[in-house]
Amino acid sequence: MAEVVLETHGLTMRFGGVVASNNVDFKLRARELRCLIGPNGAGKSTFFKCVTGLQTPTEGEVIMRGVETTHWMPHQIASLGVGIKTQTPNVMDSLSVFENIWLAARRFHAPRNANRKTQEIIERLALGSIARADLGQLAHGERQRVELGLVAVGDPWLVLLDEPAAGMSAEDVERMTEIIHELNKTAAIIIVEHDMQFIRSIAEMVTVFHQGKVLMEDHVDRVMSDPTVRNVYLGKKA
Amino acid sequence: MPGSLSKDAITIILVTAILTWVMPLIISTYTLTVLIVYGMLGLSLGLIWGFGGILCFGQAAFFGLGAYTYAIAAINIGESTVPMILAVLVPAVFAALLGAMMFYGRLTDVYLGVITLVVTLILFKFINSTAGPQYVIGDARLGGFNGIPGFQTLNIPGRPDDYIWGDSYFYVCAILLALVFFLVSALLRSSFGRVAVGIRENETRISLMGYDVRARKTVLFAAGAAIAGLAGALFANWSEIVTPSLFSLGQSAEIIIWCIVGGLGTRFGPVLGAAGLAYLKFLLGQQTMIDNTLITGLILVLFVLFLPRGIVPALASLWKVSFGRRPLGRIPQHRRMRNRERING
Ligand SMILES: Nc1ncnc2c1ncn2[C@@H]1O[C@H](COP(=O)(O)OP(=O)(O)O)[C@@H](O)[C@H]1O
Ligand SMILES: [Mg+2]
């Protein structure tokens, strides 16, 4: 079996009285693709924030490739090779598509190589025609794709995607799926999504969050047919 | 930024040559010299605020620190070369320490503003209270509210008796401003500068890319202070006396107004804003009918209301609209419309 790249033990995050993450034990192996589902407020985004250092967990620990990173800063964790697309877009709107991706590439490469890597990603993501446009002027789907591009350009071995397909057209989602599969050849990926069809098309293993806790973790088919899961999550949607 | 650094260099040399030739025909070189100094001071805040997103309410503190460092060092050393270097280094080191404290302490922007403001106030109060004879550094008496007069002014390096003054001093200041402007351009075109702009745009994203935002902000803050310090030393040489008013909050506020009026996020805007408003202040100072600060305040309000991005960005977009090539932005505009059509049906 592949090595474990991400592990959390008893991860807990409290905001005053709200327990956003509650004693989460989680394990992810190299090049695994995992979907994270759960109703709004289940603590999925909070889990991502704790893993990437955007928030410091109240209790518990985070271990990446055998190194404890619980109290590290975001830039230290990112420097290990961890990329995240946050739920709300985190991009530089007044800068061009090229500049956005270049800045990410430059972190790990000398200027000349950064230029080359940026060009490669821009071609791979079919962003060539808008490479010089400011990000703020682009359509939602394009911006999502750019954010994925600036994550991918750093050659991460762990990628967290918080609702990457939200608000995108079917065509955009299809393209997104392709990119994710490409990324998955070298990186372990966790995807938070609500779109069941998308999840079925992409994932095998699914972890269900509910009220900050891991409710269930199993193959996508078994998760989808589980009555408890249907109750807390699917039931509400139907 | 469009173009390249070598194009920047050519533009800077041409503009400097033309301005130093034309402007003395209109305004005396003595007045022009101080406008240049203020331009440099404006540029120092324009760099850290306009490109790094760091709003410092105490840029005057570094200006005053540069001026005092020069005066004190010049009295003790005599020859002006080392004092000039110290006048750049001391504010830079001071800002590095202050910046590290603020940025590593994860202070929010509001507290950053408050702290820089308070530091300026403390320096002002402190220097003001050093009138007594016990306040000396080497041979230099700090002099309190009277300031420090009678120090060695700029001389040709290595020749303490060959003073640079009058028109020569004007040309030296113009060349130094051009040099600083070039260095700022080089900084902004470097990877460091591009990351700094990224920090201004989205600090979280830059740190999620793996950059240490705290360290980078500290360095940029110190670079701004170094430029303000140089401007302070040049001011000291021009006025031949340094007084606590250099540190005043009024001075700090003026620098902020220069940047807003000239245009943040441009290199030339803060220089133009500084020189323009300082000249206006000079003209208004020659009459007593209208109050100076009232006019400055009025100009600020008018700009915030009608030209919030400042003069230079407004002129730039005007230029683009009238003479520019079709802006790239149009293309995605069409795409977006197409996408919307697609979504709507
Ligand atoms: N910064 C915060 N301050 C206070 N409460 C928060 C904060 N972030 C998240 N929460 C709360 O934690 C819970 C989990 O939120 P979140 O992780 O965003 O859920 P999800 O991403 O699964 O929809 C919610 O109840 C939310 O209101
Ligand atoms: Mg969420």
Side-chain angles (χ1 to χ4, degrees), chain B residues 118-184:
Chain B
V118 168
V119 166
T120 315
L121 209 59
I122 291 173
L123 277 174
F124 178 68
K125 290 271 176 207
F126 170 72
I127 296 290
N128 235 332
S129 68
T130 56
Q134 70 273 33
Y135 294 102
V136 286
I137 297 179
D139 297 329
R141 266 191 63 181
L142 291 181
F145 44 83
N146 295 316
I148 308 175
F151 45 82
Q152 166 93 7
T153 56
L154 196 66
N155 55 255
I156 296 172
R159 284 150 61 182
D161 295 326
D162 286 337
Y163 294 107
I164 302 173
W165 60 284
D167 284 357
S168 315
Y169 187 60
F170 160 71
Y171 289 115
V172 166
C173 287
I175 289 168
L176 281 175
L177 176 59
L179 192 67
V180 168
F181 199 93
F182 174 77
L183 290 176
V184 166

XYZ file of all heavy atoms in Angstrom, chain B residues 118-184:
525
model
N 1.522 56.174 16.487
C 1.987 56.396 17.852
C 3.510 56.534 17.892
O 4.052 57.376 18.607
C 1.508 55.247 18.778
C 2.226 55.304 20.111
C 0.002 55.322 18.966
N 4.197 55.722 17.092
C 5.658 55.805 17.056
C 6.090 57.201 16.596
O 7.011 57.802 17.158
C 6.245 54.712 16.134
C 7.698 54.996 15.807
C 6.105 53.348 16.799
N 5.407 57.721 15.578
C 5.712 59.068 15.101
C 5.515 60.086 16.225
O 6.364 60.960 16.455
C 4.777 59.448 13.935
O 4.717 58.352 13.038
C 5.279 60.665 13.214
N 4.396 59.926 16.922
C 4.071 60.845 18.008
C 5.133 60.785 19.111
O 5.577 61.818 19.630
C 2.705 60.442 18.579
C 1.865 61.553 19.184
C 1.583 62.613 18.140
C 0.561 60.977 19.725
N 5.557 59.582 19.449
C 6.562 59.416 20.502
C 7.881 60.074 20.101
O 8.491 60.817 20.875
C 6.786 57.917 20.807
C 5.540 57.328 21.482
C 8.018 57.719 21.700
C 5.598 55.839 21.676
N 8.298 59.830 18.863
C 9.548 60.429 18.386
C 9.459 61.946 18.436
O 10.378 62.632 18.887
C 9.843 59.975 16.958
C 10.526 58.624 16.812
C 10.632 58.231 15.349
C 11.912 58.657 17.440
N 8.315 62.464 17.989
C 8.087 63.904 17.975
C 8.185 64.476 19.388
O 8.927 65.422 19.651
C 6.713 64.187 17.367
C 6.330 65.638 17.346
C 7.001 66.531 16.532
C 5.291 66.106 18.148
C 6.645 67.874 16.515
C 4.930 67.443 18.127
C 5.609 68.327 17.308
N 7.453 63.828 20.308
C 7.459 64.305 21.702
C 8.860 64.214 22.292
O 9.312 65.113 22.998
C 6.493 63.451 22.548
C 5.041 63.672 22.214
C 4.448 64.810 23.035
C 3.013 65.052 22.595
N 2.578 66.412 22.814
N 9.509 63.105 22.000
C 10.832 62.910 22.577
C 11.814 63.963 22.084
O 12.471 64.649 22.874
C 11.365 61.505 22.261
C 12.810 61.330 22.612
C 13.209 61.260 23.950
C 13.783 61.276 21.627
C 14.543 61.132 24.290
C 15.120 61.156 21.956
C 15.508 61.079 23.290
N 11.903 64.127 20.776
C 12.855 65.094 20.217
C 12.515 66.505 20.707
O 13.395 67.297 21.049
C 12.826 65.056 18.675
C 13.290 63.703 18.153
C 13.701 66.151 18.092
C 14.752 63.407 18.343
N 11.218 66.784 20.804
C 10.773 68.079 21.287
C 11.259 68.380 22.699
O 11.453 69.528 23.084
C 9.242 68.106 21.278
C 8.734 69.286 20.479
O 9.408 70.304 20.374
N 7.560 69.133 19.915
N 11.437 67.319 23.491
C 11.753 67.516 24.905
C 13.251 67.447 25.193
O 13.663 67.316 26.325
C 11.032 66.444 25.730
O 11.599 65.191 25.435
N 14.059 67.531 24.138
C 15.495 67.382 24.352
C 16.226 68.713 24.283
O 17.354 68.792 23.824
C 16.107 66.439 23.293
O 15.783 66.972 21.999
C 15.588 65.032 23.426
N 15.564 69.767 24.777
C 16.185 71.094 24.718
C 17.374 71.205 25.680
O 18.316 71.952 25.441
C 15.144 72.162 25.030
N 17.332 70.474 26.765
C 18.363 70.590 27.792
C 19.749 70.194 27.307
O 19.889 69.443 26.346
N 20.790 70.728 27.967
C 22.169 70.453 27.547
C 22.602 69.002 27.788
O 23.635 68.582 27.287
C 22.998 71.421 28.403
C 22.132 71.717 29.584
C 20.713 71.641 29.117
N 21.795 68.254 28.585
C 22.199 66.870 28.844
C 21.920 65.950 27.657
O 22.431 64.841 27.602
C 21.504 66.326 30.114
C 20.018 66.078 30.001
C 19.187 67.318 30.315
O 19.597 68.455 30.045
N 18.010 67.137 30.896
N 21.098 66.431 26.702
C 20.786 65.580 25.552
C 21.813 65.813 24.444
O 21.639 66.702 23.608
C 19.383 65.868 25.033
C 18.295 65.500 26.008
C 17.652 66.483 26.764
C 17.915 64.170 26.179
C 16.656 66.152 27.660
C 16.918 63.829 27.081
C 16.296 64.823 27.817
O 15.315 64.481 28.713
N 22.866 65.057 24.461
C 23.870 65.175 23.404
C 24.204 63.793 22.855
O 24.136 62.798 23.565
C 25.183 65.819 23.918
C 25.020 67.306 24.141
C 25.654 65.126 25.185
N 24.510 63.755 21.570
C 25.057 62.529 20.975
C 26.404 62.944 20.404
O 26.487 63.675 19.426
C 24.141 61.970 19.873
C 22.782 61.574 20.477
C 24.798 60.759 19.209
C 21.790 61.028 19.481
N 27.471 62.506 21.054
C 28.801 62.956 20.649
C 28.904 64.459 20.843
O 28.658 64.977 21.932
N 29.205 65.177 19.742
C 29.320 66.633 19.809
C 28.012 67.337 19.506
O 27.939 68.564 19.560
C 30.373 67.126 18.793
C 31.750 66.580 19.131
O 32.013 66.370 20.333
O 32.541 66.352 18.188
N 26.983 66.549 19.143
C 25.745 67.176 18.679
C 24.738 67.311 19.810
O 24.397 66.348 20.479
C 25.143 66.348 17.540
N 24.273 68.538 20.013
C 23.164 68.762 20.954
C 21.855 68.585 20.215
O 21.669 69.116 19.123
C 23.253 70.185 21.531
C 23.999 70.234 22.852
C 23.831 71.592 23.490
N 22.438 71.897 23.832
C 22.057 73.051 24.387
N 22.957 73.981 24.633
N 20.793 73.264 24.685
N 20.932 67.831 20.811
C 19.668 67.560 20.113
C 18.795 68.807 20.007
O 18.031 68.966 19.063
C 18.904 66.424 20.807
C 19.561 65.051 20.666
C 18.745 63.972 21.353
C 19.758 64.690 19.198
N 18.894 69.670 21.014
C 18.296 70.996 20.875
C 16.787 71.110 21.007
O 16.252 72.203 20.845
N 16.088 70.015 21.270
C 14.642 70.087 21.486
C 13.922 70.761 20.341
O 14.231 70.540 19.170
N 12.928 71.621 20.723
C 12.103 72.264 19.692
C 12.892 73.240 18.837
O 12.448 73.665 17.785
C 10.900 72.960 20.336
C 11.271 73.737 21.563
C 11.780 75.015 21.452
C 11.122 73.156 22.831
C 12.130 75.729 22.572
C 11.483 73.875 23.963
C 11.991 75.167 23.839
N 14.105 73.627 19.288
C 14.934 74.524 18.479
C 15.601 73.812 17.313
O 16.082 74.440 16.387
C 16.015 75.165 19.328
C 15.414 76.077 20.372
O 14.503 76.843 20.060
N 15.882 75.964 21.592
N 15.660 72.490 17.414
C 16.289 71.741 16.343
C 17.804 71.801 16.380
O 18.405 72.297 17.345
N 18.421 71.273 15.332
C 19.883 71.276 15.225
C 20.282 72.086 13.990
O 20.026 71.681 12.865
C 20.444 69.848 15.074
C 19.898 68.927 16.175
C 21.969 69.863 15.090
C 20.312 67.481 16.015
N 20.923 73.248 14.197
C 21.443 73.993 13.052
C 22.958 73.762 12.920
O 23.560 73.071 13.735
C 21.176 75.435 13.451
C 21.299 75.413 14.956
C 21.014 74.006 15.448
N 23.509 74.322 11.866
C 24.958 74.424 11.774
C 25.733 73.133 11.632
O 26.790 72.964 12.230
N 25.211 72.206 10.868
C 25.992 71.003 10.601
C 26.628 71.095 9.216
O 26.223 71.919 8.386
C 25.114 69.754 10.711
C 23.777 69.882 10.027
C 23.676 69.671 8.655
C 22.636 70.237 10.743
C 22.452 69.791 8.018
C 21.415 70.377 10.102
C 21.321 70.158 8.736
N 27.594 70.239 8.995
C 28.254 70.171 7.687
C 27.243 69.761 6.625
O 26.566 68.750 6.776
C 29.377 69.126 7.773
C 29.932 68.687 6.440
C 31.152 69.489 6.021
O 31.665 70.302 6.801
N 31.616 69.294 4.807
N 27.111 70.548 5.558
C 26.200 70.125 4.486
C 26.976 69.320 3.453
O 28.183 69.135 3.566
C 25.520 71.336 3.824
O 26.530 72.216 3.350
C 24.618 72.053 4.807
N 26.235 68.857 2.451
C 26.782 67.914 1.475
C 28.058 68.451 0.826
O 28.113 69.602 0.401
C 25.728 67.631 0.396
C 25.979 66.395 -0.469
C 25.880 65.134 0.368
C 24.988 66.363 -1.621
N 29.069 67.572 0.777
C 30.298 67.959 0.089
C 30.656 66.894 -0.938
O 30.121 65.780 -0.910
C 31.452 68.152 1.079
C 31.686 66.935 1.935
O 31.331 66.895 3.122
N 32.280 65.894 1.350
N 31.547 67.229 -1.857
C 32.029 66.237 -2.811
C 32.725 65.145 -2.001
O 33.576 65.455 -1.154
C 33.002 66.886 -3.822
C 32.232 67.921 -4.651
C 33.633 65.833 -4.716
C 33.107 68.756 -5.555
N 32.354 63.885 -2.195
C 32.893 62.806 -1.353
C 34.412 62.874 -1.245
O 35.120 62.979 -2.247
C 32.449 61.536 -2.099
C 31.191 61.938 -2.780
C 31.372 63.380 -3.147
N 34.907 62.871 -0.007
C 36.348 62.904 0.235
C 36.926 64.313 0.308
O 38.071 64.494 0.698
N 36.130 65.326 -0.082
C 36.643 66.708 -0.033
C 35.693 67.570 0.790
O 34.850 68.293 0.249
C 36.799 67.256 -1.452
C 38.054 66.680 -2.135
C 37.914 66.578 -3.625
N 37.702 67.875 -4.266
C 37.519 68.006 -5.578
N 37.506 66.938 -6.359
N 37.326 69.206 -6.094
N 35.860 67.537 2.114
C 34.904 68.191 3.022
C 34.767 69.694 2.799
O 33.797 70.301 3.260
C 35.465 67.903 4.416
C 36.716 67.151 4.241
C 36.921 66.830 2.804
N 35.706 70.317 2.099
C 35.602 71.766 1.914
C 34.898 72.159 0.619
O 34.590 73.328 0.406
C 37.000 72.398 1.943
C 37.633 72.235 3.315
O 36.884 72.277 4.319
O 38.862 72.019 3.381
N 34.652 71.160 -0.254
C 33.967 71.455 -1.510
C 32.475 71.173 -1.356
O 32.000 70.072 -1.630
C 34.541 70.596 -2.651
C 35.908 71.105 -3.072
O 36.185 72.297 -2.820
O 36.686 70.311 -3.632
N 31.750 72.177 -0.945
C 30.314 71.997 -0.710
C 29.536 71.901 -2.017
O 29.883 72.556 -2.997
C 29.758 73.167 0.114
C 30.320 73.214 1.505
C 31.252 74.183 1.866
C 29.922 72.265 2.453
C 31.774 74.219 3.139
C 30.449 72.295 3.732
C 31.382 73.271 4.067
O 31.897 73.293 5.316
N 28.493 71.075 -1.976
C 27.562 71.021 -3.106
C 26.332 71.813 -2.692
O 25.614 71.412 -1.785
C 27.176 69.570 -3.441
C 28.437 68.754 -3.757
C 26.193 69.521 -4.592
C 28.180 67.276 -3.933
N 26.098 72.951 -3.345
C 24.970 73.798 -2.940
C 24.407 74.525 -4.162
O 24.928 74.414 -5.259
C 25.402 74.804 -1.866
C 26.499 75.713 -2.336
C 27.822 75.397 -2.474
C 26.365 77.061 -2.794
N 28.510 76.459 -2.978
C 27.650 77.497 -3.170
C 25.280 77.940 -2.901
C 27.869 78.785 -3.671
C 25.506 79.225 -3.384
C 26.799 79.635 -3.766
N 23.294 75.220 -3.935
C 22.686 76.003 -5.018
C 22.237 75.099 -6.162
O 21.668 74.029 -5.942
N 22.556 75.541 -7.398
C 22.132 74.774 -8.570
C 22.712 73.363 -8.578
O 22.033 72.414 -8.944
C 22.552 75.507 -9.857
C 21.634 76.698 -10.141
O 20.665 76.879 -9.363
O 21.890 77.422 -11.118
N 23.972 73.237 -8.176
C 24.590 71.908 -8.165
C 23.795 70.974 -7.274
O 23.569 69.805 -7.605
C 26.024 71.965 -7.646
O 26.705 73.024 -8.213
N 23.395 71.492 -6.116
C 22.648 70.656 -5.198
C 21.313 70.231 -5.819
O 20.877 69.090 -5.667
C 22.414 71.381 -3.866
C 21.791 70.469 -2.821
C 22.450 69.312 -2.421
C 20.557 70.762 -2.254
C 21.890 68.466 -1.486
C 19.981 69.926 -1.312
C 20.653 68.784 -0.933
O 20.100 67.938 -0.020
N 20.699 71.158 -6.550
C 19.457 70.828 -7.254
C 19.672 69.658 -8.213
O 18.895 68.706 -8.241
C 18.936 72.065 -8.001
C 17.977 71.765 -9.111
C 16.691 71.319 -8.832
C 18.363 71.913 -10.443
C 15.799 71.031 -9.862
C 17.473 71.635 -11.471
C 16.195 71.183 -11.177
N 20.764 69.706 -8.977
C 21.012 68.620 -9.932
C 21.301 67.305 -9.212
O 20.856 66.233 -9.635
C 22.152 68.984 -10.889
C 21.740 70.073 -11.870
C 22.340 71.335 -11.859
C 20.717 69.834 -12.785
C 21.938 72.330 -12.736
C 20.305 70.827 -13.664
C 20.914 72.071 -13.637
O 20.502 73.041 -14.503
N 22.038 67.375 -8.113
C 22.318 66.159 -7.338
C 21.012 65.529 -6.854
O 20.798 64.317 -6.986
C 23.249 66.472 -6.140
C 23.269 65.305 -5.161
C 24.657 66.781 -6.632
N 20.111 66.354 -6.336
C 18.836 65.839 -5.836
C 18.018 65.231 -6.979
O 17.415 64.159 -6.824
C 18.026 66.944 -5.156
S 18.693 67.400 -3.557
N 18.017 65.920 -8.138
C 17.255 65.407 -9.279
C 17.791 64.043 -9.701
O 17.037 63.100 -9.953
C 17.324 66.396 -10.436
N 19.121 63.932 -9.744
C 19.724 62.663 -10.168
C 19.442 61.576 -9.127
O 19.133 60.427 -9.477
C 21.239 62.842 -10.409
C 21.445 63.679 -11.675
C 21.937 61.492 -10.533
C 22.859 64.167 -11.864
N 19.505 61.932 -7.849
C 19.210 60.941 -6.812
C 17.762 60.465 -6.899
O 17.480 59.277 -6.752
C 19.510 61.518 -5.427
C 20.991 61.523 -5.037
C 21.185 62.225 -3.692
C 21.546 60.104 -4.972
N 16.846 61.401 -7.156
C 15.445 60.985 -7.291
C 15.286 60.042 -8.487
O 14.604 59.011 -8.405
C 14.515 62.197 -7.448
C 13.032 61.857 -7.696
C 12.460 61.030 -6.556
C 12.190 63.121 -7.891
N 15.944 60.390 -9.600
C 15.879 59.529 -10.784
C 16.438 58.147 -10.453
O 15.877 57.117 -10.834
C 16.656 60.160 -11.934
N 17.527 58.124 -9.710
C 18.169 56.858 -9.333
C 17.234 56.022 -8.453
O 17.051 54.819 -8.670
C 19.472 57.155 -8.600
C 20.398 55.968 -8.382
C 20.947 55.486 -9.715
C 21.534 56.349 -7.443
N 16.645 56.688 -7.454
C 15.719 55.983 -6.565
C 14.522 55.460 -7.360
O 14.072 54.328 -7.174
C 15.247 56.903 -5.415
C 14.076 56.287 -4.664
C 16.391 57.185 -4.459
N 14.036 56.304 -8.281
C 12.906 55.906 -9.113
C 13.259 54.663 -9.930
O 12.469 53.729 -10.063
C 12.526 57.058 -10.045
C 11.145 56.948 -10.616
C 10.072 57.554 -9.983
C 10.910 56.233 -11.779
C 8.789 57.445 -10.497
C 9.630 56.122 -12.300
C 8.570 56.734 -11.663
N 14.483 54.653 -10.442
C 14.935 53.493 -11.205
C 15.022 52.251 -10.306
O 14.590 51.160 -10.682
C 16.306 53.778 -11.837
C 16.890 52.572 -12.514
C 16.420 52.161 -13.758
C 17.886 51.833 -11.904
C 16.945 51.029 -14.377
C 18.412 50.699 -12.522
C 17.940 50.312 -13.754
N 15.567 52.426 -9.108
C 15.689 51.289 -8.186
C 14.307 50.745 -7.801
O 14.118 49.528 -7.720
C 16.463 51.693 -6.932
C 17.960 51.950 -7.143
C 18.610 52.443 -5.855
C 18.651 50.682 -7.641
N 13.365 51.660 -7.586
C 12.002 51.221 -7.271
C 11.425 50.435 -8.447
O 10.795 49.386 -8.263
C 11.106 52.435 -6.925
C 9.631 52.055 -6.942
C 11.484 53.001 -5.564
